[in-house]
Amino acid sequence: MKENEPETVEMPGSGKKTVRDEAKKKQLLNRLNRIEGQIRGLKKLIETDTYCTDILVQASAARSALDAFSNDVLGCHIRGCVKRDLLEGKDEVIDELLWTLKKLK
């Protein structure tokens, strides 16, 4: 390990909770419902023997929607949880954030 390089920390499910306001929770759940609909649509495309390219285009759209959802949650995490922990002097949140970003690749 190089000097001043943080130690890699395994971060399985933390058991922590994040309380979101009702508007944000509703927005995130609506996005997930749309993504769920896209996935059900993909299943139907397979069941109806739809042409491969058409399925791949829809799969790409579903992946993009899930990536956008993850980016939204990540932004909220940084602006909320990470900022709060840093202000409280909990620098270990930096290692947790780096671990999380690594998993998002």
Side-chain angles (χ1 to χ4, degrees):
M1 184 163 51
K2 296 178 184 173
E3 189 176 323
N4 295 327
E5 186 176 302
E7 181 181 336
T8 302
V9 180
E10 278 298 313
M11 297 281 181
S14 69
K16 297 178 183 178
K17 299 219 181 234
T18 299
V19 178
R20 294 168 183 85
D21 66 59
E22 287 304 312
K24 187 62 178 179
K25 191 181 290 189
K26 183 177 179 181
Q27 178 208 8
L28 292 171
L29 290 171
N30 285 339
R31 290 178 87 170
L32 285 174
N33 287 333
R34 285 193 300 275
I35 293 166
E36 184 179 35
Q38 288 177 301
I39 300 301
R40 281 194 307 270
L42 282 166
K43 183 178 176 186
K44 185 167 181 110
L45 293 177
I46 295 294
E47 292 170 345
T48 59
D49 297 320
T50 302
Y51 188 60
C52 299
T53 300
D54 298 331
I55 295 170
L56 292 168
V57 167
Q58 292 305 312
S60 178
R63 184 181 317 105
S64 293
L66 193 53
D67 286 345
F69 170 82
S70 294
N71 286 336
D72 190 3
V73 173
L74 178 62
C76 291
H77 178 60
I78 292 169
R79 285 189 222 61
C81 304
V82 172
K83 180 180 177 181
R84 179 199 62 232
D85 285 354
L86 287 173
L87 290 172
E88 292 175 0
K90 298 177 184 174
D91 291 341
E92 64 273 8
V93 74
I94 295 169
D95 289 334
E96 180 186 74
L97 178 58
L98 292 171
W99 180 88
T100 301
L101 291 171
K102 183 178 177 182
K103 292 297 178 185
L104 292 177
K105 289 183 182 181

